[in-house]
Amino acid sequence: MIPDTAPARTGWHRRAAAAVALLLSAGLVGFAAAPPALAATTGTADVTITGGGADFYFANVPAMFIGQVSPVERSLGWPTGTVRVISNEPGNPTDETELFFQGEGGLFSSWAYPTEVGVRQVTVEYSGDATFAPKTQVLDYRVPPGPLTKTTLTASSTGPVAVGQTVTFTSNTTDDEGRTLEAGGATGRVSFFDNGVLFGDQIEVTSGTVPGKTLYATKSRTFTSAGVHTITALFEPGYTFYYESTSAPVVITVTGTPTPKPTATATPKPTATPKPTATPAPPATPAAVGGSFTVTPRGTVKAGATVRATAEIHARATGSAVTGSVQFYDGKFKVGKPVALVKGQASVKYTNLTAGQHVLKAKYLGTGAFVAAFTRNVTVTVRK
């Protein structure tokens, strides 16, 4: 499988169940007598509204929002009715849903539609029922930078260095706009490569506050031979929602004084012996690839909507785009014919997705130079 591709999303039913389980384990959901049946008029008892993410938020990616309408006075039972969740974003996308676990929880699930990094808000409007009064409350949630990452690489010496000299390399990873990664995004490992060959062990990233060292790793290399060395750093995120990234190369020229040739001494030429038959060199081992698989829109879409998927494939060691073709899939079924990569990218449109969950992915078919590999899965839920 191609490592660290676009994050695979589970279905919203599973995420909702997980969030509910967390609420239950935290003691947020109690068990009390069911409230009176919903009447034509609403009651007066007060409620509180809380909420948070059952998903991982990124800008311009819809994510599930789980909340709870709780009675202030628990002896009155649990609220029933409906809620409207209004994302305080351009256009104010709005969802309306009933409370579930009615009589035992007052829970609801909806969607948030963040458009920017930072603290965002939704407005929750509870309808009220025969016991509880309507209520409107604004709730905050945080959108971190990501999921795309960008890795840079610097060297302690950039000019020509001598054979035997040690150079220290420092990688730093941010999101694709240069913002500091937070929380789950601030984890991972970095591999350093010299002319495409890994040197040393992977290094766990360290968080810092100095510019150029906000999520960094360092590695030293002592050069033992003259020549040109192209150094790159590959960041592999510790959290699956984020993308890997490879730095631009840093080129180090290593110079050294050649060892003087010994004075030639005439010696008798040995009797010529037959040359052994040349053994053909073994074929080069195909190199590994990395990449990403993105789907737009993600999460839940309406039946009949067009979903566009893009696969990006690059050489794992250098980050350079590769050639070849990609086969797209819907579950285990191929979608269309293989699509040729152009500058390392290939796209397809899914136009006939039926209601239900669809696991979308792509397979890089490989070449003589690069191995074949699957991307990670992205789950899309189609509703009627």
Side-chain angles (χ1 to χ4, degrees), residues 1-12:
M1 184 175 70
I2 295 175
D4 304 304
T5 60
R9 297 277 186 165
T10 56
W12 73 268

Side-chain angles (χ1 to χ4, degrees), residues 276-294:
T277 304
T279 302
T285 302
V289 296
S292 62
F293 184 70
T294 56

Side-chain angles (χ1 to χ4, degrees), residues 282-343:
T285 302
V289 296
S292 62
F293 184 70
T294 56
V295 172
T296 306
R298 288 167 59 188
T300 299
V301 301
K302 293 182 178 180
T306 296
V307 175
R308 182 182 179 88
T310 299
E312 178 273 324
I313 311 295
H314 59 259
R316 186 169 167 78
T318 65
S320 301
V322 303
T323 58
S325 298
V326 168
Q327 175 66 62
F328 290 87
Y329 285 81
D330 179 358
K332 63 180 180 180
F333 300 104
K334 295 179 180 179
V335 176
K337 295 181 179 180
V339 181
L341 291 165
V342 178
K343 295 183 178 179

Side-chain angles (χ1 to χ4, degrees), residues 95-351:
D95 285 341
E96 184 164 346
T97 184
E98 291 186 357
L99 298 176
F100 57 94
F101 285 171
Q102 294 204 19
E104 297 181 350
L107 299 170
F108 63 90
S109 65
S110 184
W111 292 90
Y113 302 88
T115 57
E116 296 180 16
V117 169
V119 176
R120 313 306 295 167
Q121 294 181 327
V122 295
T123 298
V124 179
E125 297 178 349
Y126 168 56
S127 65
D129 64 12
T131 302
F132 297 98
K135 187 165 186 176
T136 298
Q137 194 158 333
V138 177
L139 302 176
D140 294 341
Y141 64 97
R142 180 161 185 82
V143 178
L148 298 178
T149 66
K150 179 176 67 176
T151 298
T152 56
L153 181 65
T154 58
S156 59
S157 177
T158 57
V161 301
V163 169
Q165 185 173 340
T166 298
V167 178
T168 299
F169 299 94
T170 301
S171 73
N172 189 58
T173 301
T174 63
D175 81 339
D176 60 322
E177 296 188 21
R179 295 172 293 208
T180 302
L181 294 173
E182 305 168 359
T187 61
R189 295 181 175 186
V190 174
S191 302
F192 293 87
F193 296 85
D194 183 349
N195 292 336
V197 178
L198 176 70
F199 65 90
D201 297 326
Q202 287 185 314
I203 306 297
E204 292 282 350
V205 292
T206 300
S207 296
T209 57
V210 178
K213 293 183 73 174
T214 56
L215 189 65
Y216 66 95
T218 59
K219 188 71 176 177
S220 296
R221 182 155 180 75
T222 302
F223 294 98
T224 58
S225 61
V228 176
H229 297 259
T230 301
I231 311 298
T232 56
L234 168 67
F235 168 71
E236 299 175 88
Y239 201 59
T240 57
F241 286 108
Y242 291 83
Y243 290 59
E244 71 174 25
S245 56
T246 299
S247 71
V250 171
V251 177
I252 302 294
T253 300
V254 180
T255 61
T257 303
T259 302
K261 293 182 180 180
T263 304
T265 302
T267 57
K269 292 183 179 180
T271 304
T273 56
K275 292 183 179 180
T277 304
T279 302
T285 302
V289 296
S292 62
F293 184 70
T294 56
V295 172
T296 306
R298 288 167 59 188
T300 299
V301 301
K302 293 182 178 180
T306 296
V307 175
R308 182 182 179 88
T310 299
E312 178 273 324
I313 311 295
H314 59 259
R316 186 169 167 78
T318 65
S320 301
V322 303
T323 58
S325 298
V326 168
Q327 175 66 62
F328 290 87
Y329 285 81
D330 179 358
K332 63 180 180 180
F333 300 104
K334 295 179 180 179
V335 176
K337 295 181 179 180
V339 181
L341 291 165
V342 178
K343 295 183 178 179
Q345 294 191 349
S347 297
V348 73
K349 291 181 180 179
Y350 293 83
T351 57

